[in-house]
Each structure stands twice: as C-alpha cells, then as structure tokens.
Amino acid sequence: MSNSNTEETAEQTTVRPFRALFALTLTVSAVLLGSTILNVALPTMQSELGASNTEQQWFLNAYTLTFAGFLPVAGSAGDRFGLKRLLAWGTAAFAVTTAVAGFLDSALGIIVLRALMGVAAATIMPATLAVILRIFPPERRARAIASWAAASGLSISLGPLLGGALLSAGMWWGSVLELVALFAILGLAATWAWIPRTPASGVGRLRMMPVAASLAGIGLLVFGVVHATGDGWAYLGTWLPAAVGLVVLAGLVLAEVRHREPLLDVRLFKHASFTTAAVALTIGSFVVYGYLYFTTFYLQLVRGYTPLQTGLLFIPLSAGLVVGAPLSQQVTRRFGARTTIAAGIALMGVAFAGVTGLGAHTSPAWFVVDAFALQIGFALVLAPGTTLASSSVPTDRAGAGSALLNTLRQLGSALGVAVLGSVLWSRYAGMMTDRLADSPAGVRRTAAESLASALASGDAAATKAAAPTFLSAMHTTTLIAVGVCGIALLVTLFMRPPRRTGTSLPPASVRERVHVGRGA
C-alpha cells in the first residue's frame, strides 16, 4: 500500500495538467469528429456508393451503437488496469479502423468498420473524463471539465466544416475519415507523452454479459426505429424489435441494480443531481445529432449548397460552443447548475422551433442565427451537466461512472438520428406517394426512396414535388424534437435535490454549486 502511494505521489509531482488536458481534448476530438464528420459526406456516399436512406442512417448509428454498448466495460477496464494504458490502446485501434474504413466501397463493409470504430471509441471517451477527475484538484476541476466539454462540442461542430472542405476540394468521400485517423494519431502521441500513469484501482470484474445485453437492447431498439423509414411505425418489424430492445434494457437495469459490482451503476440515479444532468445530456445529444443529420440534406439538396458551403454554414455551431462554454460557467456561478441546464434546454427547444421557418428561399442568416442559438443552448447543458453528474461518482469508480453518463449520451445520439431520421423519411415517403398518385408506379417508388432519388429521377412532377415535400416532413420532425426538449425541461425543473444539501450556497465556485447531489 505504501509503495502504491509512493508511486502515485511521484507520478503526480511530474504531472503538467494543462499539457495533459490538451492531450485529452485532442484525443476526444478525434472520437467526436468521427461521429459527425460523415454527416456532410452522406449525399456524396449516396451518389458514389448507391447507399439507401437506411444504410446512411446505419453509417452513423453503427458507430454510436457499439460506442454506447461497450462504454460500461471500457470504463471499468480503465479503473481496473489503468487509464493511460487503455487510452493509448484504444486510440491506436481507433486510428487503424478509421483509416481502413475510409478506403472501402461496400456499404456493409463501411457499417462493420464503423461499428469497430465505435468499440475503440468506447475505450477513449470515459478514460478522458476519468483522467481529468484524477489529476485536477476539486477547485480546478470545473474549469478543466468546461474546457474538455468545449473541445468536445467544438469537434462535433467542426466535423461538417472539415469534411466539407475536403469534399469540395475534389477528395473522395473516405478522405473525411482519413482526417479523423490523423487526429487520432496526433492524440496517441500526445497521450503517450503527457498523460500520467494513474494507479489501477482493481475495483470490479469485467463482465461481458451486461455488454452483450446493452448491445442487444440498444441495437434492437435502434433497428426497430430505423426500420420505420421504409415500412412505417405500425409494421411488426418496426415496433416488435423496438419493444424487445426495451425489455432487454429493462432487464439489464434490474440485474445491475442487484449486482455488488455493477458495470452500469444505475444506482447513481437515486441522486437527483445525477438524474437531472443525465437526462439533459442525453436529450441534448439527441437534439444536436438529429439536427446535424437532417439539416445536411436541407442545405445540400434543397438549397443546393456545396459540401464546403454547408460546412461554413455550420460554423455557428462551433461559435456557439466557444461562446457558450465560458458563459455556462458564469451563469452557473450566479444561478446554479440546475437553472443553467434548464435555460439551455429551453433555448434548444426554441432554436429547434425556429427550424420551421426554413424554406426553399429563406435567407441563410436565419439558419446561421438559429444554429448559433441551438449550440449556445447545448453549451449551457454540456459543461454544468457533466460536472453535476460527475459530482455523484466516487473517485475510484470515475471510469465506470463516466461510462454510464457517456453511454446515455451516445444512446441519445443514436436515437436522435434514428428517431428523427425515421420520422423525416417515413413522412417524406408517405407524402411523396400521395402527391404523385397520378404518376407511374415506378416513378412513385423511386421518388419516395429519398430526396436525392426524386431530384435525379428526371420526372418533372417528382422533381417539382421533392423539395416542398421534404420541407414539410422536416417541419413535422422539428415539432417532435421540440416536444422532447419540453419533456427534458420538465424533468430539470421538477427533479430537485433534497433541501438538506442546500441551494443557498454562496456562489463562490462552480464546484460548490454542482456538488448538490453528493450524499443525497
């Protein structure tokens, strides 16, 4: 025991926290670029690979599904075997799988490699947050987490811009993934040089059954929702897999509650602060990823912008994070974490409602302002929500605790694309079929497959109806997202921590505000 303490003390004396923070943000940026940079390439992949709407959704969801499914075991592995070792091996695997995926020309092969990318990413994300919790003292932790959150959000927003620049320069679609692989290699080098070794806690066993149940439950749920794109929500192949997935996830929760060393420590939900933050972060990811998905088609296919122009129009998303990260700290100091999170969710709902004002000839300024407002709202949720949730996690279970939080965020991301994408395309297909009732069956079938298919069909009626039909379907989808934000807002406002923890703490630091859930 004394030797372990001596090693830890010696290691901590050589730690340069801000270099370590840079290495962590670089590594996590690669992971999150990998989750969004492909969005802007979807129309190109559709034309070059002949990918269907369902395959395009799986290009995105295969990554987030395995990401979410393997996060619990990755978090516990970091606690047990050491965070630096797991982070280095995970980043190396991520770089290799990403580089290979970029050279494939098979939709199925890309989906499989994207799933493997998600497995590797799962080892990275919880380790980065856990390292921050280990190397930064409590009084500096909130600022470090805010920087980590800002880099995370910035990467989500920069993905479309960087990808659009490559595609507009004439590069093939896979070049966007090669750029992500380059970021991962740089992150690996920085990790090896600047991340300190943290002693393994040896807590917990690595149980694969919860991982299998998590993958099965989330996979069936997402499969059922995505299936609605082609067959509708009332079809047996849509609701039955989704229902079975929910049952599997419920059984997993019950089993983990009763286990002495849970990989998914759902008992953390007894803390009001953790529950509030988890719901807000999950819904935030749901909204942002869904927004990125369908506005890409709006900008490129309805408005006719190039991939680079589309990426430039997504810059306000990055600007919103840059402005919102420090703003979230100031608002939290003055009003508290829960009020800040509620304000962020409300702003996201308002911004999503603004999407209904987008049309075929709307000024780009409307989109720019609306995207900026959406990401300001997400920034008000991201940093205080992450810190608030982390305050309920014991230090020796930091990896597993952050894994649960990130599992929920990735589930939100996958469902954002799956649910909003399925609502969008099922609504589009139904309306397109009705509008082309007098056209030949082949024209109706082709036009209903996707917006790109309708525009490329060569049929005058299908081409004329395509954009208005997509816009109507997009506006309907927007209302679903606004309703989801409303539910999250109610949870945030009414899920209050116990009075004995005190909400009248002096606004001296973010840490005092966000630790309201400890011991609740």
Side-chain angles (χ1 to χ4, degrees):
M1 184 69 175
S2 59
N3 290 338
S4 176
N5 289 338
T6 302
E7 285 182 16
E8 183 176 358
T9 301
E11 187 72 45
Q12 293 298 330
T13 58
T14 62
V15 172
R16 296 182 177 179
F18 291 102
R19 286 190 179 185
L21 183 60
F22 175 77
L24 294 172
T25 54
L26 186 60
T27 305
V28 81
S29 292
V31 170
L32 293 172
L33 278 174
S35 68
T36 62
I37 201 169
L38 210 59
N39 283 71
V40 76
L42 290 178
T44 304
M45 296 175 75
Q46 186 175 35
S47 62
E48 292 184 2
L49 303 176
S52 66
N53 285 331
T54 299
E55 287 172 332
Q56 291 174 63
Q57 287 178 272
W58 278 112
F59 290 156
L60 304 179
N61 283 334
Y63 179 80
T64 51
L65 192 155
T66 53
F67 195 164
F70 278 89
L71 274 170
V73 71
S76 291
D79 288 335
R80 185 173 181 84
F81 298 118
L83 295 171
K84 180 174 181 176
R85 181 181 302 174
L86 186 71
L87 192 56
W89 280 105
T91 305
F94 181 82
V96 171
T97 52
T98 303
V100 172
F103 288 101
L104 298 180
D105 57 5
S106 162
L108 178 59
I110 294 167
I111 291 170
V112 171
L113 262 294
R114 288 282 290 172
L116 293 176
M117 283 174 59
V119 175
T123 66
I124 297 171
M125 197 70 175
T128 58
L129 183 55
V131 169
I132 290 176
L133 296 177
R134 294 278 183 90
I135 67 176
F136 281 89
E139 64 273 10
R140 297 166 65 187
R141 194 173 293 157
R143 181 173 296 180
I145 290 177
S147 300
W148 174 88
S152 300
L154 192 62
S155 302
I156 292 172
S157 306
L158 282 178
L161 175 61
L162 297 176
L166 289 173
L167 295 174
S168 294
M171 302 293 287
W172 88 107
W173 72 266
S175 62
V176 302
L177 292 182
E178 303 312 314
L179 178 63
V180 174
L182 177 60
F183 268 84
I185 292 171
L186 294 174
L188 177 60
T191 294
W192 195 259
W194 293 331
I195 299 297
R197 291 184 180 179
T198 55
S201 67
V203 175
R205 293 184 297 110
L206 299 183
R207 298 180 293 116
M208 294 306 297
M209 185 59 70
V211 176
S214 175
L215 282 173
I218 296 173
L220 287 168
L221 176 60
V222 172
F223 177 84
V225 174
V226 169
H227 209 64
T229 299
D231 297 305
W233 293 90
Y235 181 63
L236 181 67
T238 297
W239 64 262
L240 183 59
V244 173
L246 288 173
V247 171
V248 171
L249 291 175
L252 174 62
V253 169
L254 291 176
E256 291 299 286
V257 166
R258 297 173 181 174
H259 203 281
R260 290 187 303 173
E261 297 178 352
L263 290 180
L264 288 169
D265 196 357
V266 293
R267 289 169 294 191
L268 288 170
F269 285 113
K270 70 181 181 179
H271 299 281
S273 57
F274 185 90
T275 302
T276 298
V279 170
L281 290 168
T282 302
I283 296 305
S285 297
F286 178 98
V287 168
V288 169
Y289 278 80
Y291 179 90
L292 284 171
Y293 176 74
F294 66 72
T295 53
T296 298
F297 291 97
Y298 165 73
L299 293 172
Q300 290 194 43
L301 298 183
V302 175
R303 302 303 301 267
Y305 295 123
T306 65
L308 177 58
Q309 290 172 324
T310 299
L312 290 171
L313 286 170
F314 279 129
I315 285 180
L317 292 174
S318 303
L321 259 297
V322 171
V323 173
L327 178 63
S328 69
Q329 290 190 68
Q330 297 173 15
V331 176
T332 303
R333 287 191 188 100
R334 180 161 186 178
F335 300 105
R338 188 171 60 84
T339 301
T340 304
I341 293 170
I345 293 173
L347 184 55
M348 293 180 77
V350 170
F352 234 105
V355 174
T356 58
L358 295 176
H361 305 289
T362 306
S363 169
W366 181 283
F367 178 84
V368 167
V369 172
D370 195 65
F372 181 77
L374 178 76
Q375 203 72 326
I376 284 280
F378 188 49
L380 292 176
V381 172
L382 188 58
T386 301
T387 311
L388 182 63
S390 299
S391 69
S392 298
V393 182
T395 302
D396 65 348
R397 295 288 288 167
S402 61
L404 174 59
L405 190 63
N406 282 292
T407 296
L408 294 171
R409 285 185 59 190
Q410 293 307 313
L411 178 59
S413 302
L415 289 177
V417 174
V419 173
L420 298 183
S422 293
V423 171
L424 173 71
W425 294 120
S426 59
R427 177 70 173 164
Y428 167 84
M431 294 178 64
M432 201 66 174
T433 300
D434 292 341
R435 291 185 179 188
L436 299 179
D438 296 330
S439 298
V443 171
R444 290 199 307 272
R445 183 171 56 253
T446 299
E449 285 178 358
S450 68
L451 176 60
S453 297
L455 293 173
S457 66
D459 182 83
T463 303
K464 182 178 180 180
T469 302
F470 177 85
L471 288 171
S472 179
M474 184 177 75
H475 295 158
T476 300
T477 305
T478 294
L479 298 179
I480 301 294
V482 172
V484 171
C485 287
I487 294 172
L489 182 60
L490 291 176
V491 172
T492 303
L493 291 175
F494 294 104
M495 183 74 71
R496 296 179 179 272
R499 292 180 60 86
R500 67 184 179 84
T501 58
T503 55
S504 58
L505 294 172
S509 68
V510 176
R511 183 180 66 87
E512 290 176 327
R513 285 287 193 179
V514 300
H515 275 226
V516 293
R518 192 178 297 278

